[in-house]
Amino acid sequence: MRYRTLLFAAPGLAMLLSLAACGDEQANGNPADKPSGTTSVQPSGTPADSLTVQVKASKEAPAKTWKLTCAPPGGTHPKASDACAALTKVKEPFKPVPKDQMCTKIYGGPEVATVTGTWQGKRIDTKFTRADGCQLHRWSEIGPLFGNVPKVR
């Protein structure tokens, strides 16, 4: 008899606990669809995020060039919002690989990209490749920035 009680009570208890976890995810009492009253304002005088992205399928291939602005996403980049989101997820998206970094010899392809402009108030002038594991990781972290890489002809 005791085992039957446990057999029926356990699923019921599990259902009650899972239902208790449902609801508004904000703990401050504000409805989820209304702002809490705080807004973020960029400091005045800060240069806007503006990048020029040039991508080649190989060193010899013709380049595809895009302009990208963030906050709000725009420019000629085909997927500006995805590119801006990828950049904001990475702490230092344009940081080069340290010279003494040991990298695996994983070749990711002949693609080459250069990025110039301004990001978070800093001048950017960097190159991306897929020549080894470190460079491939660096490329993959912000992959949407490079869009659809043109095919090698």
Side-chain angles (χ1 to χ4, degrees), residues 1-13:
M1 182 72 170
R2 282 188 227 167
Y3 296 113
R4 282 190 212 162
T5 304
L6 286 176
L7 184 65
F8 293 115
L13 183 59

Side-chain angles (χ1 to χ4, degrees), residues 2-153:
R2 282 188 227 167
Y3 296 113
R4 282 190 212 162
T5 304
L6 286 176
L7 184 65
F8 293 115
L13 183 59
M15 184 178 73
L16 284 174
L17 290 174
S18 66
L19 287 175
C22 293
D24 189 7
E25 293 184 13
Q26 290 188 352
N28 61 5
N30 292 334
D33 60 341
K34 294 189 180 180
S36 62
T38 60
T39 58
S40 66
V41 178
Q42 282 189 320
S44 60
T46 305
D49 297 337
S50 177
L51 300 170
T52 300
V53 182
Q54 189 178 62
V55 183
K56 294 181 176 185
S58 69
K59 290 180 183 178
E60 300 80 25
K64 178 71 177 166
T65 304
W66 296 293
K67 298 281 186 185
L68 175 68
T69 57
C70 294
T76 59
H77 195 286
K79 294 185 178 177
S81 58
D82 292 344
C84 290
L87 287 172
T88 57
K89 286 180 185 176
V90 179
K91 184 177 180 183
E92 295 179 85
F94 302 109
K95 182 179 179 182
V97 176
K99 299 239 185 252
D100 61 345
Q101 178 75 40
M102 291 180 61
C103 301
T104 60
K105 294 296 179 187
I106 298 173
Y107 181 69
E111 298 85 3
V112 178
T114 57
V115 180
T116 57
T118 306
W119 178 254
Q120 296 181 344
K122 295 179 184 172
R123 287 286 308 145
I124 303 299
D125 187 1
T126 189
K127 182 178 178 180
F128 289 83
T129 68
R130 297 164 54 94
D132 61 37
C134 295
Q135 295 295 335
L136 186 58
H137 172 73
R138 195 171 166 242
W139 180 293
S140 299
E141 277 191 314
I142 58 172
L145 177 65
F146 307 120
N148 294 329
V149 178
K151 300 293 181 203
V152 177
R153 295 179 190 199

